[in-house]
Amino acid sequence: MKITVGGHEVEGTAEEVAKLLALMSGGVGSPRSEVAPVRKAVALVDGASPFVSEDLAFAVLTRRELGETHVKMLRKLDEADDKWTTAPELQRALDLSTREFAGVLGAFGRRLSNTPGAGSRSFFDQYWDPENGYNLYRLPPSVRAALRKAKVV
């Protein structure tokens, strides 16, 4: 069976596809500790990581000087290791309103998209929590390694 999910063609048995769709929708079998299943599912389908490589993350971090707020945000996410950090937690740590935080993320998105080679890879692992109405964030291992290499943490 083949279906298209989020612009990616997925192939598997009916049971496998049903399980994938349930994970993606946060349905049965989707533990809250394992969020952002769409990216994981896509990575499993095409064999490529949805995240930037360590080298690309290093280029994103070093092509221009990082602002103080971006450094604080990256350090806060790095401190959490592979655990999720909520948007409200980041906003409190950075002393930002929701709008200001959105601006900080937008500026970082421009930094990423204007770095040669970025393509559609993501710098953050991110998940929208529909129950609470906010995003959760964490850093993939490639980014955490690049933070150390760039001496941000």
Side-chain angles (χ1 to χ4, degrees), residues 5-22:
V5 179
H8 297 277
E9 190 172 281
V10 178
E11 185 173 353
T13 66
E15 182 180 283
E16 291 168 333
V17 171
K19 187 174 181 180
L20 171 66
L21 293 174

mmCIF file with all atom_site columns, all heavy atoms in Angstrom, residues 5-22:
data_model
loop_
_atom_site.group_PDB
_atom_site.id
_atom_site.type_symbol
_atom_site.label_atom_id
_atom_site.label_alt_id
_atom_site.label_comp_id
_atom_site.label_asym_id
_atom_site.label_entity_id
_atom_site.label_seq_id
_atom_site.pdbx_PDB_ins_code
_atom_site.Cartn_x
_atom_site.Cartn_y
_atom_site.Cartn_z
_atom_site.occupancy
_atom_site.B_iso_or_equiv
_atom_site.pdbx_formal_charge
_atom_site.auth_seq_id
_atom_site.auth_comp_id
_atom_site.auth_asym_id
_atom_site.auth_atom_id
_atom_site.pdbx_PDB_model_num
ATOM 1   N N   . VAL A 1 5  ? 1.897  11.270 2.638  1.00 0.00 ? 5  VAL A N   1
ATOM 2   C CA  . VAL A 1 5  ? 1.717  11.871 3.951  1.00 0.00 ? 5  VAL A CA  1
ATOM 3   C C   . VAL A 1 5  ? 2.639  13.076 4.042  1.00 0.00 ? 5  VAL A C   1
ATOM 4   O O   . VAL A 1 5  ? 3.854  12.926 3.931  1.00 0.00 ? 5  VAL A O   1
ATOM 5   C CB  . VAL A 1 5  ? 2.055  10.862 5.084  1.00 0.00 ? 5  VAL A CB  1
ATOM 6   C CG1 . VAL A 1 5  ? 1.886  11.511 6.442  1.00 0.00 ? 5  VAL A CG1 1
ATOM 7   C CG2 . VAL A 1 5  ? 1.212  9.609  4.978  1.00 0.00 ? 5  VAL A CG2 1
ATOM 8   N N   . GLY A 1 6  ? 2.059  14.243 4.224  1.00 0.00 ? 6  GLY A N   1
ATOM 9   C CA  . GLY A 1 6  ? 2.877  15.453 4.354  1.00 0.00 ? 6  GLY A CA  1
ATOM 10  C C   . GLY A 1 6  ? 3.806  15.665 3.175  1.00 0.00 ? 6  GLY A C   1
ATOM 11  O O   . GLY A 1 6  ? 4.914  16.134 3.334  1.00 0.00 ? 6  GLY A O   1
ATOM 12  N N   . GLY A 1 7  ? 3.364  15.289 1.976  1.00 0.00 ? 7  GLY A N   1
ATOM 13  C CA  . GLY A 1 7  ? 4.175  15.469 0.784  1.00 0.00 ? 7  GLY A CA  1
ATOM 14  C C   . GLY A 1 7  ? 5.189  14.367 0.549  1.00 0.00 ? 7  GLY A C   1
ATOM 15  O O   . GLY A 1 7  ? 5.976  14.437 -0.387 1.00 0.00 ? 7  GLY A O   1
ATOM 16  N N   . HIS A 1 8  ? 5.195  13.348 1.386  1.00 0.00 ? 8  HIS A N   1
ATOM 17  C CA  . HIS A 1 8  ? 6.124  12.239 1.248  1.00 0.00 ? 8  HIS A CA  1
ATOM 18  C C   . HIS A 1 8  ? 5.347  10.962 0.973  1.00 0.00 ? 8  HIS A C   1
ATOM 19  O O   . HIS A 1 8  ? 4.332  10.686 1.618  1.00 0.00 ? 8  HIS A O   1
ATOM 20  C CB  . HIS A 1 8  ? 6.964  12.057 2.520  1.00 0.00 ? 8  HIS A CB  1
ATOM 21  C CG  . HIS A 1 8  ? 7.833  13.229 2.822  1.00 0.00 ? 8  HIS A CG  1
ATOM 22  N ND1 . HIS A 1 8  ? 9.048  13.409 2.234  1.00 0.00 ? 8  HIS A ND1 1
ATOM 23  C CD2 . HIS A 1 8  ? 7.644  14.294 3.630  1.00 0.00 ? 8  HIS A CD2 1
ATOM 24  C CE1 . HIS A 1 8  ? 9.583  14.528 2.672  1.00 0.00 ? 8  HIS A CE1 1
ATOM 25  N NE2 . HIS A 1 8  ? 8.746  15.088 3.523  1.00 0.00 ? 8  HIS A NE2 1
ATOM 26  N N   . GLU A 1 9  ? 5.833  10.191 0.032  1.00 0.00 ? 9  GLU A N   1
ATOM 27  C CA  . GLU A 1 9  ? 5.179  8.924  -0.265 1.00 0.00 ? 9  GLU A CA  1
ATOM 28  C C   . GLU A 1 9  ? 5.619  7.882  0.758  1.00 0.00 ? 9  GLU A C   1
ATOM 29  O O   . GLU A 1 9  ? 6.794  7.710  1.024  1.00 0.00 ? 9  GLU A O   1
ATOM 30  C CB  . GLU A 1 9  ? 5.555  8.455  -1.669 1.00 0.00 ? 9  GLU A CB  1
ATOM 31  C CG  . GLU A 1 9  ? 4.722  7.279  -2.133 1.00 0.00 ? 9  GLU A CG  1
ATOM 32  C CD  . GLU A 1 9  ? 4.968  6.950  -3.591 1.00 0.00 ? 9  GLU A CD  1
ATOM 33  O OE1 . GLU A 1 9  ? 4.414  7.648  -4.447 1.00 0.00 ? 9  GLU A OE1 1
ATOM 34  O OE2 . GLU A 1 9  ? 5.739  6.004  -3.839 1.00 0.00 ? 9  GLU A OE2 1
ATOM 35  N N   . VAL A 1 10 ? 4.638  7.207  1.333  1.00 0.00 ? 10 VAL A N   1
ATOM 36  C CA  . VAL A 1 10 ? 4.882  6.198  2.357  1.00 0.00 ? 10 VAL A CA  1
ATOM 37  C C   . VAL A 1 10 ? 4.375  4.869  1.831  1.00 0.00 ? 10 VAL A C   1
ATOM 38  O O   . VAL A 1 10 ? 3.291  4.788  1.265  1.00 0.00 ? 10 VAL A O   1
ATOM 39  C CB  . VAL A 1 10 ? 4.136  6.554  3.668  1.00 0.00 ? 10 VAL A CB  1
ATOM 40  C CG1 . VAL A 1 10 ? 4.350  5.486  4.716  1.00 0.00 ? 10 VAL A CG1 1
ATOM 41  C CG2 . VAL A 1 10 ? 4.575  7.911  4.180  1.00 0.00 ? 10 VAL A CG2 1
ATOM 42  N N   . GLU A 1 11 ? 5.179  3.842  2.015  1.00 0.00 ? 11 GLU A N   1
ATOM 43  C CA  . GLU A 1 11 ? 4.772  2.519  1.573  1.00 0.00 ? 11 GLU A CA  1
ATOM 44  C C   . GLU A 1 11 ? 4.870  1.556  2.744  1.00 0.00 ? 11 GLU A C   1
ATOM 45  O O   . GLU A 1 11 ? 5.817  1.598  3.519  1.00 0.00 ? 11 GLU A O   1
ATOM 46  C CB  . GLU A 1 11 ? 5.676  2.039  0.444  1.00 0.00 ? 11 GLU A CB  1
ATOM 47  C CG  . GLU A 1 11 ? 5.252  0.716  -0.151 1.00 0.00 ? 11 GLU A CG  1
ATOM 48  C CD  . GLU A 1 11 ? 6.077  0.331  -1.386 1.00 0.00 ? 11 GLU A CD  1
ATOM 49  O OE1 . GLU A 1 11 ? 6.874  1.145  -1.859 1.00 0.00 ? 11 GLU A OE1 1
ATOM 50  O OE2 . GLU A 1 11 ? 5.904  -0.799 -1.848 1.00 0.00 ? 11 GLU A OE2 1
ATOM 51  N N   . GLY A 1 12 ? 3.883  0.701  2.885  1.00 0.00 ? 12 GLY A N   1
ATOM 52  C CA  . GLY A 1 12 ? 3.882  -0.291 3.948  1.00 0.00 ? 12 GLY A CA  1
ATOM 53  C C   . GLY A 1 12 ? 2.607  -1.090 3.917  1.00 0.00 ? 12 GLY A C   1
ATOM 54  O O   . GLY A 1 12 ? 1.717  -0.843 3.098  1.00 0.00 ? 12 GLY A O   1
ATOM 55  N N   . THR A 1 13 ? 2.519  -2.031 4.825  1.00 0.00 ? 13 THR A N   1
ATOM 56  C CA  . THR A 1 13 ? 1.285  -2.802 4.926  1.00 0.00 ? 13 THR A CA  1
ATOM 57  C C   . THR A 1 13 ? 0.199  -1.886 5.479  1.00 0.00 ? 13 THR A C   1
ATOM 58  O O   . THR A 1 13 ? 0.495  -0.816 6.034  1.00 0.00 ? 13 THR A O   1
ATOM 59  C CB  . THR A 1 13 ? 1.462  -4.007 5.872  1.00 0.00 ? 13 THR A CB  1
ATOM 60  O OG1 . THR A 1 13 ? 1.677  -3.510 7.200  1.00 0.00 ? 13 THR A OG1 1
ATOM 61  C CG2 . THR A 1 13 ? 2.606  -4.907 5.439  1.00 0.00 ? 13 THR A CG2 1
ATOM 62  N N   . ALA A 1 14 ? -1.040 -2.305 5.365  1.00 0.00 ? 14 ALA A N   1
ATOM 63  C CA  . ALA A 1 14 ? -2.150 -1.505 5.893  1.00 0.00 ? 14 ALA A CA  1
ATOM 64  C C   . ALA A 1 14 ? -1.972 -1.267 7.388  1.00 0.00 ? 14 ALA A C   1
ATOM 65  O O   . ALA A 1 14 ? -2.227 -0.167 7.897  1.00 0.00 ? 14 ALA A O   1
ATOM 66  C CB  . ALA A 1 14 ? -3.473 -2.198 5.608  1.00 0.00 ? 14 ALA A CB  1
ATOM 67  N N   . GLU A 1 15 ? -1.498 -2.294 8.085  1.00 0.00 ? 15 GLU A N   1
ATOM 68  C CA  . GLU A 1 15 ? -1.271 -2.165 9.523  1.00 0.00 ? 15 GLU A CA  1
ATOM 69  C C   . GLU A 1 15 ? -0.175 -1.144 9.821  1.00 0.00 ? 15 GLU A C   1
ATOM 70  O O   . GLU A 1 15 ? -0.303 -0.311 10.718 1.00 0.00 ? 15 GLU A O   1
ATOM 71  C CB  . GLU A 1 15 ? -0.892 -3.534 10.103 1.00 0.00 ? 15 GLU A CB  1
ATOM 72  C CG  . GLU A 1 15 ? -0.683 -3.511 11.609 1.00 0.00 ? 15 GLU A CG  1
ATOM 73  C CD  . GLU A 1 15 ? -0.302 -4.889 12.140 1.00 0.00 ? 15 GLU A CD  1
ATOM 74  O OE1 . GLU A 1 15 ? -1.207 -5.739 12.262 1.00 0.00 ? 15 GLU A OE1 1
ATOM 75  O OE2 . GLU A 1 15 ? 0.893  -5.075 12.414 1.00 0.00 ? 15 GLU A OE2 1
ATOM 76  N N   . GLU A 1 16 ? 0.922  -1.179 9.045  1.00 0.00 ? 16 GLU A N   1
ATOM 77  C CA  . GLU A 1 16 ? 2.020  -0.236 9.257  1.00 0.00 ? 16 GLU A CA  1
ATOM 78  C C   . GLU A 1 16 ? 1.573  1.195  8.973  1.00 0.00 ? 16 GLU A C   1
ATOM 79  O O   . GLU A 1 16 ? 1.900  2.120  9.725  1.00 0.00 ? 16 GLU A O   1
ATOM 80  C CB  . GLU A 1 16 ? 3.208  -0.605 8.368  1.00 0.00 ? 16 GLU A CB  1
ATOM 81  C CG  . GLU A 1 16 ? 3.904  -1.884 8.760  1.00 0.00 ? 16 GLU A CG  1
ATOM 82  C CD  . GLU A 1 16 ? 4.889  -2.373 7.710  1.00 0.00 ? 16 GLU A CD  1
ATOM 83  O OE1 . GLU A 1 16 ? 4.717  -2.080 6.507  1.00 0.00 ? 16 GLU A OE1 1
ATOM 84  O OE2 . GLU A 1 16 ? 5.836  -3.066 8.118  1.00 0.00 ? 16 GLU A OE2 1
ATOM 85  N N   . VAL A 1 17 ? 0.835  1.386  7.896  1.00 0.00 ? 17 VAL A N   1
ATOM 86  C CA  . VAL A 1 17 ? 0.355  2.724  7.544  1.00 0.00 ? 17 VAL A CA  1
ATOM 87  C C   . VAL A 1 17 ? -0.616 3.227  8.603  1.00 0.00 ? 17 VAL A C   1
ATOM 88  O O   . VAL A 1 17 ? -0.546 4.388  9.020  1.00 0.00 ? 17 VAL A O   1
ATOM 89  C CB  . VAL A 1 17 ? -0.287 2.722  6.135  1.00 0.00 ? 17 VAL A CB  1
ATOM 90  C CG1 . VAL A 1 17 ? -0.990 4.042  5.862  1.00 0.00 ? 17 VAL A CG1 1
ATOM 91  C CG2 . VAL A 1 17 ? 0.776  2.454  5.073  1.00 0.00 ? 17 VAL A CG2 1
ATOM 92  N N   . ALA A 1 18 ? -1.504 2.367  9.083  1.00 0.00 ? 18 ALA A N   1
ATOM 93  C CA  . ALA A 1 18 ? -2.450 2.760  10.125 1.00 0.00 ? 18 ALA A CA  1
ATOM 94  C C   . ALA A 1 18 ? -1.704 3.173  11.391 1.00 0.00 ? 18 ALA A C   1
ATOM 95  O O   . ALA A 1 18 ? -2.059 4.159  12.047 1.00 0.00 ? 18 ALA A O   1
ATOM 96  C CB  . ALA A 1 18 ? -3.421 1.622  10.418 1.00 0.00 ? 18 ALA A CB  1
ATOM 97  N N   . LYS A 1 19 ? -0.667 2.422  11.741 1.00 0.00 ? 19 LYS A N   1
ATOM 98  C CA  . LYS A 1 19 ? 0.128  2.743  12.926 1.00 0.00 ? 19 LYS A CA  1
ATOM 99  C C   . LYS A 1 19 ? 0.828  4.094  12.751 1.00 0.00 ? 19 LYS A C   1
ATOM 100 O O   . LYS A 1 19 ? 0.852  4.915  13.665 1.00 0.00 ? 19 LYS A O   1
ATOM 101 C CB  . LYS A 1 19 ? 1.151  1.635  13.179 1.00 0.00 ? 19 LYS A CB  1
ATOM 102 C CG  . LYS A 1 19 ? 1.901  1.780  14.473 1.00 0.00 ? 19 LYS A CG  1
ATOM 103 C CD  . LYS A 1 19 ? 2.787  0.574  14.730 1.00 0.00 ? 19 LYS A CD  1
ATOM 104 C CE  . LYS A 1 19 ? 3.514  0.712  16.047 1.00 0.00 ? 19 LYS A CE  1
ATOM 105 N NZ  . LYS A 1 19 ? 4.368  -0.440 16.321 1.00 0.00 ? 19 LYS A NZ  1
ATOM 106 N N   . LEU A 1 20 ? 1.381  4.331  11.563 1.00 0.00 ? 20 LEU A N   1
ATOM 107 C CA  . LEU A 1 20 ? 2.040  5.599  11.270 1.00 0.00 ? 20 LEU A CA  1
ATOM 108 C C   . LEU A 1 20 ? 1.051  6.754  11.405 1.00 0.00 ? 20 LEU A C   1
ATOM 109 O O   . LEU A 1 20 ? 1.342  7.765  12.048 1.00 0.00 ? 20 LEU A O   1
ATOM 110 C CB  . LEU A 1 20 ? 2.637  5.580  9.858  1.00 0.00 ? 20 LEU A CB  1
ATOM 111 C CG  . LEU A 1 20 ? 3.163  6.915  9.338  1.00 0.00 ? 20 LEU A CG  1
ATOM 112 C CD1 . LEU A 1 20 ? 4.370  7.365  10.144 1.00 0.00 ? 20 LEU A CD1 1
ATOM 113 C CD2 . LEU A 1 20 ? 3.522  6.804  7.865  1.00 0.00 ? 20 LEU A CD2 1
ATOM 114 N N   . LEU A 1 21 ? -0.118 6.611  10.818 1.00 0.00 ? 21 LEU A N   1
ATOM 115 C CA  . LEU A 1 21 ? -1.120 7.670  10.892 1.00 0.00 ? 21 LEU A CA  1
ATOM 116 C C   . LEU A 1 21 ? -1.568 7.912  12.329 1.00 0.00 ? 21 LEU A C   1
ATOM 117 O O   . LEU A 1 21 ? -1.787 9.055  12.727 1.00 0.00 ? 21 LEU A O   1
ATOM 118 C CB  . LEU A 1 21 ? -2.309 7.338  9.988  1.00 0.00 ? 21 LEU A CB  1
ATOM 119 C CG  . LEU A 1 21 ? -1.999 7.348  8.488  1.00 0.00 ? 21 LEU A CG  1
ATOM 120 C CD1 . LEU A 1 21 ? -3.197 6.854  7.702  1.00 0.00 ? 21 LEU A CD1 1
ATOM 121 C CD2 . LEU A 1 21 ? -1.571 8.723  8.029  1.00 0.00 ? 21 LEU A CD2 1
ATOM 122 N N   . ALA A 1 22 ? -1.704 6.849  13.115 1.00 0.00 ? 22 ALA A N   1
ATOM 123 C CA  . ALA A 1 22 ? -2.071 7.004  14.522 1.00 0.00 ? 22 ALA A CA  1
ATOM 124 C C   . ALA A 1 22 ? -0.985 7.755  15.283 1.00 0.00 ? 22 ALA A C   1
ATOM 125 O O   . ALA A 1 22 ? -1.273 8.636  16.090 1.00 0.00 ? 22 ALA A O   1
ATOM 126 C CB  . ALA A 1 22 ? -2.326 5.641  15.157 1.00 0.00 ? 22 ALA A CB  1
#
